[in-house]
Amino acid sequence: MSTFNPATDIPSLTGKVILITGANTGIGKETIISLAKHNPDKIYLASRDKGRANQAIDDIQKAVPGAPIEFIPLDLASLDSVRDAAATFHARSNRLDILINNAGIMAVPSGKTKDGFEIQLGVNHLGHFFLTKLLLPTLQNTAAQASSPMDVRVVNLSSMAYASTPSDGIHFKNLNVGRKPWDVWMRYGQSKLANVLFTKELAGRHSEFTTVAVHPGFINSDLWSTHWTAQFTRWMFNGTWLTVESGSHNSLWAATSPDVKSGNFYFPGGKLENGSKHSNNPKLAKALWDWSEQAVEKFQDFRRYGLSFFECRLGKSGLKVSKIIFGCMSYGNSEWGKWVLDEEATLPLLKAAYDAGINTWDTVEIYLNAQSEVIVRRAIEKFNIPSERLLILTKCFGAVDEENMSNRYGLSRTHSFDSVEASIHHLDPDVEMEETLKALVQSGMVRYLVAWLVWVKITFLNNADE
Ligand SMILES: NC(=O)c1ccc[n+]([C@@H]2O[C@H](COP(=O)([O-])OP(=O)(O)OC[C@H]3O[C@@H](n4cnc5c(N)ncnc54)[C@H](OP(=O)(O)O)[C@@H]3O)[C@@H](O)[C@H]2O)c1
């Protein structure tokens, strides 16, 4: 690879979707510039500062006019933010061809992530572990459509510092290992060893795509502006550093070359690094994987943590809805048409949506003559979905049957109230309608306006027990 030239050696990336972390500066930004020149479908730049990201996008688009880059907010020091970033990505793309886990911090003072993990391991490894785990289904789906496992890649930025670790490699008992000021380096080494171990374990578990780790070389970037020893090193070796542009070559090669092999760790020039006692220890790789799984577990359980990554407020109201709303229009009876699914095919979809945190379902009485609402009810019953976990949006206006049309459609008071009643009946036939509607009207929550009626339905269904 010593002769690797990004301009000529990167193949066409037409149709490819790329996500790269920490690309608002340094190696990541240069990596995007080179990738953008080969016509990818989209590049997602995931970083923690919107202003810096937008500035980087401007710079990149000056270098590559029209480069298709979009920003995704991502703070690797917060697992909630990582989960949010994955959700944002999933809302925008259903494929991922190249994931470059590039962001990193080095030799920063002792500290913790927002979730209480040692800061260097937390940002450099755990945040990326969680991001990759959440993006895994998309990587797998993309790989399933590809002609070779080489077509889909995960590239992890490690460092030659992977060899400077605590004596046990990863000191699980106290990840904030070391007390002396220069132990910041040992903790950096620990996090970079974690990048290599993660690479090997991921490659072993997922042969359907290609996972590699790289050391980019010594690159004159902001990474060296943290600890005084880093600043001193930068000053000492001033003039001998590689530029950030050449620092991107190993990542670019690993992301696109046919010569890489999954599970490997490459030094600059695509030179295979044989590894250390710790990086070649499969038990340590497994222990790190298990520890990481446990560390992120509660953050992926959206039901325990109140759906924060999927929630947004509905307009200016206080009501929270999932950012993705699940449409139920085509659920009913397939005899109606090719676009309609039967109940049997529909129920697993509703379950999958609920499990993925999509807790707002949109239906309406007129969809398939109320069959859609009935199927929604069956899903709630079958999967024991608690009422406080779900929001159902339903509406009124259209007519359900075709006879006696005069008062069976429109926004008259009569039809609006009838629609509320009918929808509630389809969704929960046990509800005592007369009493419920009377209470709603008396409380002043039901108005003549349809907008209010929609609200009543949402509120009612969300607080069925009240
Ligand atoms: N430079 C070298 O000599 C060298 C050597 C070996 C390995 N590496 C590795 O190469 C990778 C890139 O380094 P670089 O030299 O390009 O460093 P850099 O110029 O300092 O860039 C690091 C990037 O990571 C981002 N980042 C830091 N903390 C983050 C967080 N909590 N959440 C999201 N993004 C975060 C930074 O964003 P902000 O702008 O918001 O801070 C920045 O975009 C790192 O993984 C590093 O360990 C570099």
Side-chain angles (χ1 to χ4, degrees), residues 22 24 27 48 52 75-76 102 158 188 192 219 221 224:
N24 55 292
I27 296 169
R48 61 182 163 172
R52 275 161 73 76
D75 180 358
L76 289 157
N102 163 83
S158 180
Y188 179 64
K192 291 288 136 178
I219 317 299
S221 71
W224 294 88

Side-chain angles (χ1 to χ4, degrees), residues 277-296:
K277 176 177 83 172
H278 293 312
S279 76
N280 290 323
N281 179 349
K283 280 193 188 148
L284 189 59
K286 164 108 178 29
L288 176 69
W289 186 281
D290 292 345
W291 176 87
S292 309
E293 283 275 21
Q294 223 178 351
V296 301

Side-chain angles (χ1 to χ4, degrees), residues 38-328:
H38 297 270
N39 198 32
D41 202 45
K42 188 77 75 191
I43 302 180
Y44 292 99
L45 184 163
S47 79
R48 61 182 163 172
D49 185 308
K50 190 176 181 185
R52 275 161 73 76
N54 284 338
Q55 181 59 56
I57 292 174
D58 277 357
D59 295 346
I60 296 166
Q61 287 176 336
K62 272 183 201 131
V64 189
I69 307 166
E70 279 181 28
F71 167 61
I72 291 185
L74 166 71
D75 180 358
L76 289 157
S78 158
L79 294 173
D80 278 338
S81 167
V82 174
R83 196 181 48 195
D84 222 342
T88 305
F89 175 81
H90 282 137
R92 295 193 204 167
S93 178
N94 57 10
R95 66 178 298 133
L96 179 56
D97 299 85
I98 301 174
L99 168 64
I100 304 184
N101 290 320
N102 163 83
I105 49 174
M106 182 178 79
V108 295
S110 187
K112 290 188 172 173
T113 65
K114 291 189 179 123
D115 312 305
F117 298 102
E118 191 283 315
I119 188 78
Q120 298 199 63
L121 191 90
V123 170
N124 294 349
H125 164 68
L126 193 61
H128 282 130
F129 172 88
F130 193 30
L131 182 68
T132 310
K133 180 178 161 66
L134 293 171
L135 298 177
L136 206 52
T138 311
L139 288 164
Q140 288 174 303
N141 284 343
T142 313
Q145 297 159 33
S147 52
S148 146
M150 296 288 273
D151 292 346
V152 177
R153 306 218 183 165
V154 177
V155 178
N156 296 315
L157 272 278
S158 180
S159 164
M160 70 177 290
Y162 85 103
S164 313
T165 64
S167 57
D168 48 355
I170 311 261
H171 197 58
F172 291 109
K173 278 191 194 145
N174 175 17
L175 292 164
N176 198 20
V177 55
R179 292 197 180 153
K180 302 186 190 73
W182 50 88
D183 287 335
V184 291
W185 291 103
M186 184 165 61
R187 294 194 288 275
Y188 179 64
Q190 177 176 252
S191 74
K192 291 288 136 178
L193 169 65
N195 294 150
V196 181
L197 291 169
F198 168 56
T199 299
K200 292 190 178 217
E201 189 70 18
L202 185 65
R205 287 171 187 246
H206 292 283
S207 56
E208 64 272 29
F209 54 85
T210 298
T211 306
V212 291
V214 294
H215 163 53
F218 283 109
I219 317 299
N220 193 1
S221 71
D222 294 347
L223 198 71
W224 294 88
S225 59
T226 49
H227 199 251
W228 68 266
T229 51
Q231 293 168 14
F232 181 71
T233 312
R234 193 184 208 177
W235 173 78
M236 275 269 290
F237 294 97
N238 189 21
T240 64
W241 297 81
L242 288 176
T243 61
V244 279
E245 192 276 318
S246 38
S248 66
H249 285 198
N250 220 18
S251 301
L252 291 164
W253 173 79
T256 60
S257 164
D259 301 330
V260 303
K261 190 161 168 280
S262 196
N264 279 353
F265 178 27
Y266 295 101
F267 269 38
K271 188 170 168 293
L272 181 64
E273 168 66 3
N274 289 329
S276 64
K277 176 177 83 172
H278 293 312
S279 76
N280 290 323
N281 179 349
K283 280 193 188 148
L284 189 59
K286 164 108 178 29
L288 176 69
W289 186 281
D290 292 345
W291 176 87
S292 309
E293 283 275 21
Q294 223 178 351
V296 301
E297 192 189 353
K298 66 180 183 182
F299 295 92
Q300 64 201 5
D301 184 356
F302 60 87
R303 274 161 290 181
R304 197 161 142 196
Y305 279 81
L307 285 168
S308 63
F309 80 112
F310 259 150
E311 280 179 357
C312 62
R313 285 170 53 174
L314 187 62
K316 290 182 181 166
S317 78
L319 190 76
K320 302 258 183 74
V321 296
S322 55
K323 285 180 188 164
I324 300 171
I325 293 180
F326 199 77
C328 301

